[in-house]
Amino acid sequence: MSRFLVRRVLGALVILLIISAITFGLFYAIPRDPAMMSCGKNCTPDMLAQIRHNLGIDHPIPVQYWDWLKGVFVGRNYPGFGNCNAPCLGYSFANREPVLGTIMDRLPTTLSLAFGAAVVFLIFGVGAGMLAAVKQGKFLDKFASSASLFGSSLQIYFVGYVAMFFLVSKLGLFAQPSYTPFTEDPAAWFSGLLLPWLTLAIIFTANYTRMTRSQLVEQLSEDYVRTARAKGLSRANVFFRFAWRGAMGPIVTVFGIDLGTLIGGAIITESTFSIQGIGRLAVDSVNKSDLPMLLGVTILSAGAIVFFNIIVDAVYALIDPRIRLA
């Protein structure tokens, strides 16, 4: 296990390094000058040169990338800004605030949105899929399958705007979506994120219902499950001890990817409900050609996906004893 984790961590670092290099290179394909955007209307050549020097973009691209990468591990001094301690992701081109500090300020919002939605779609999606598998071919199975197909065809931005119009503006059944820190007001935190949770969970619930049902139906037809039934084990014992554990492996794998993606930034959901999280920060960074902020968000998003993939692989063998890590 220790060898496996070390290899995966080293592989993850290489992946993040490649992603950062690609993002850095693609940024300079955009025909926009961040120094010109920061300089303002009354910009002079001297002011422009000073801003480029302060931002660290007056060097060749490979040198800029090396300076940025070195700053992540050992820190970096920015003229006009001061010393940035490691891990230093630089200063935003747009507002000249530390990138890491801005991301940390937005991260609790996205974490609340991601984990809340995950709880909802796991409970309803996996629960509905289990019920459909147990009642295979009956009314509940057909209803759950039809509902999941309908749900998977919906789009978050459509459901979000419709829900906002009817459930918030017209009927007043939900509070206006917003983020309040849990430590300040737990009730406001819950009520402000409830509608985004439900909206984000609709698509995922449909996918997890279909996936759970198909995995369980396949497992219930396996020889080892039929053998367990022939030995006289109860139906519930066979279902949860054998079939359920065998079916959870692929579901946990997909869940790890989904959760990493959500933590990386639920861009559409945050934009739909005007929630200031990591996803909204990524959109603003692209619109403002803010390379340091864009790099920071990209590394966070990729790191979240890679991290949860490692966790999923590590617990895979605990869920299904037929699998061993090599």
Side-chain angles (χ1 to χ4, degrees):
M1 176 68 80
S2 59
R3 286 184 180 180
F4 168 79
L5 291 178
V6 169
R7 289 198 304 268
R8 289 303 305 270
V9 170
L10 292 177
L13 292 177
V14 173
I15 291 173
L16 295 179
L17 182 65
I18 294 173
I19 290 175
S20 66
I22 293 175
T23 305
F24 207 96
L26 289 177
F27 174 82
Y28 285 96
I30 303 175
R32 299 175 70 178
D33 186 355
M36 183 65 71
M37 296 175 64
S38 300
C39 193
K41 295 181 178 180
N42 300 320
C43 187
T44 64
D46 292 338
M47 293 172 58
L48 192 61
Q50 185 62 45
I51 291 175
R52 284 178 175 151
H53 178 68
N54 292 341
L55 294 177
I57 58 176
D58 56 342
H59 301 293
I61 296 176
V63 176
Q64 292 184 45
Y65 178 69
W66 172 249
D67 290 340
W68 177 85
L69 188 63
K70 186 169 60 175
V72 173
F73 295 98
V74 300
R76 183 179 176 185
N77 182 53
Y78 282 85
F81 294 96
N83 188 53
C84 179
N85 297 323
C88 176
L89 298 179
Y91 286 84
S92 168
F93 288 169
N95 54 30
R96 304 194 178 187
E97 295 292 331
V99 170
L100 186 60
T102 304
I103 291 177
M104 289 298 103
D105 289 341
R106 299 285 190 97
L107 188 58
T109 304
T110 299
L111 289 177
S112 297
L113 180 62
F115 282 108
V119 170
V120 175
F121 68 67
L122 277 181
I123 291 176
F124 288 99
V126 176
M130 292 171 60
L131 184 62
V134 172
K135 301 294 183 180
Q136 184 180 0
K138 297 182 180 179
F139 172 76
L140 287 176
D141 177 26
K142 296 178 181 179
F143 176 79
S145 299
S146 301
S148 66
L149 288 174
F150 176 74
S152 61
S153 65
L154 298 175
Q155 298 296 325
I156 293 176
Y157 58 84
F158 171 76
V159 176
Y161 285 125
V162 170
M164 284 276 290
F165 179 76
F166 287 102
L167 300 181
V168 176
S169 301
K170 292 295 184 181
L171 302 178
L173 298 178
F174 288 85
Q176 182 70 28
S178 61
Y179 174 73
T180 302
F182 181 83
T183 54
E184 292 183 7
D185 190 343
W189 171 82
F190 179 84
S191 61
L193 292 176
L194 181 57
L195 188 59
W197 286 342
L198 296 176
T199 302
L200 184 57
I202 287 178
I203 309 299
F204 289 94
T205 297
N207 294 335
Y208 278 81
T209 298
R210 291 187 290 113
M211 182 168 52
T212 302
R213 180 193 178 279
S214 63
Q215 290 295 325
L216 282 172
V217 169
E218 180 181 347
Q219 291 297 319
L220 289 171
S221 63
E222 292 286 345
D223 292 337
Y224 74 93
V225 174
R226 290 198 292 263
T227 301
R229 288 177 179 172
K231 289 183 177 180
L233 295 179
S234 66
R235 187 175 183 180
N237 195 358
V238 170
F239 184 85
F240 288 103
R241 185 178 177 183
F242 296 99
W244 186 83
R245 291 185 68 179
M248 285 300 106
I251 296 173
V252 170
T253 301
V254 175
F255 175 69
I257 298 174
D258 289 341
L259 188 57
T261 304
L262 289 175
I263 292 177
I267 296 176
I268 298 177
T269 306
E270 291 180 1
S271 299
T272 300
F273 294 102
S274 299
I275 296 176
Q276 301 298 322
I278 297 298
R280 187 66 179 269
L281 183 62
V283 174
D284 293 340
S285 300
V286 173
N287 292 333
K288 297 177 181 178
S289 299
D290 193 348
L291 175 61
M293 194 67 72
L294 182 60
L295 271 172
V297 173
T298 301
I299 294 298
L300 172 67
S301 303
I305 295 174
V306 172
F307 172 76
F308 281 103
N309 271 274
I310 295 175
I311 297 299
V312 165
D313 289 340
V315 303
Y316 211 101
L318 299 177
I319 299 173
D320 191 343
R322 298 172 299 173
I323 297 173
R324 291 291 179 265
L325 297 176

